[in-house]
Amino acid sequence: MTTPVVSIAYHSGYGHTAVIARAVAAGAARGGAEVHLVKVDEITEAGWELLDRSDAVVFGSPTYMGTASGAFHAFAEATSKRWFTDAWQGKLAAGFTNSGSKSGDKLHTLQYFQILAAQHGMHWVGLGLKPGWNSSTGSENDLNRLGIFLGAGAQTNADEGPEAVHTADVATAEHLGHRVAETARVFVAGRVAVA
């Protein structure tokens, strides 16, 4: 069986989103994928080639002013070269974000990632979890404690460093990475079967 390649294309302004990126990577590796982290603000030609050969690309960025960071937007604009050639057509995509507020308009950032993926003809993989922390028996330590379904969302207090990223958000990101890897394994096996 072919090992799927999962790449996490992300930007992290102050280190919080990098914690989430590493958690997605850990979950994808646990799911049996070959995993790569690509910092989009430092991307090289080798990084672009890696994304081109990946079976799944997971987009990640902090949410600043209601959307992805400027560095991620610059990367997204640069993907237009791939769009012209359909280089990412048929790949899987997913996303994650972090902000200081409980909501912080994280949903808008995830929707931005989903639209970017759709423009490339990619297939979106959602979180696949019920909401946590929404009942009297729930806890802030539940998976998906913020009740986001489109991707993994994290909340970290704006006056604290990356070490303060909530453990439940890290675990939720690991879940997303694992889900992407499992879905990619099915896609890769399906492509081989129908070839």
Side-chain angles (χ1 to χ4, degrees):
M1 173 165 236
T2 305
T3 301
V5 178
V6 175
S7 291
I8 295 102
Y10 76 99
H11 173 247
S12 184
Y14 299 98
H16 306 87
T17 308
V19 171
I20 301 301
R22 289 191 296 271
V24 172
R30 189 170 45 84
E34 173 189 328
V35 183
H36 302 275
L37 289 165
V38 178
K39 294 180 178 180
V40 300
D41 55 330
E42 300 174 6
I43 195 164
T44 62
E45 189 55 39
W48 284 112
E49 291 169 5
L50 175 60
L51 295 178
D52 291 345
R53 73 173 183 86
S54 296
D55 298 296
V57 179
V58 184
F59 301 126
S61 169
T63 295
Y64 294 154
M65 303 306 290
T67 189
S69 66
F72 191 92
H73 276 267
F75 160 77
E77 188 172 320
T79 69
S80 63
K81 293 178 181 175
R82 270 69 193 163
W83 176 80
F84 277 112
T85 61
D86 292 327
W88 294 359
Q89 182 85 24
K91 294 182 184 296
L92 298 177
F96 61 92
T97 188
N98 179 81
S99 71
S101 299
K102 294 288 189 283
S103 170
D105 291 320
K106 286 186 269 291
L107 177 60
H108 182 261
T109 300
L110 293 170
Q111 289 170 327
Y112 170 70
F113 294 158
Q114 189 178 40
I115 291 168
L116 175 63
Q119 287 177 321
H120 281 283
M122 301 169 84
H123 305 284
W124 189 260
V125 179
L127 189 56
L129 284 174
K130 299 278 193 288
W133 200 20
N134 68 352
S135 71
S136 61
T137 59
S139 148
E140 70 173 286
N141 297 310
D142 292 344
L143 287 179
N144 197 18
R145 71 187 182 112
L146 301 176
I148 298 172
F149 303 96
L150 204 53
Q155 180 274 329
T156 310
N157 293 331
D159 60 348
E160 293 185 291
E163 70 284 350
V165 174
H166 200 288
T167 56
D169 297 340
V170 170
T172 301
E174 288 177 2
H175 171 86
L176 177 66
H178 190 265
R179 182 172 165 86
V180 169
E182 286 187 328
T183 306
R185 278 193 298 123
V186 171
F187 262 64
V188 168
R191 285 191 191 111
V192 170
V194 299

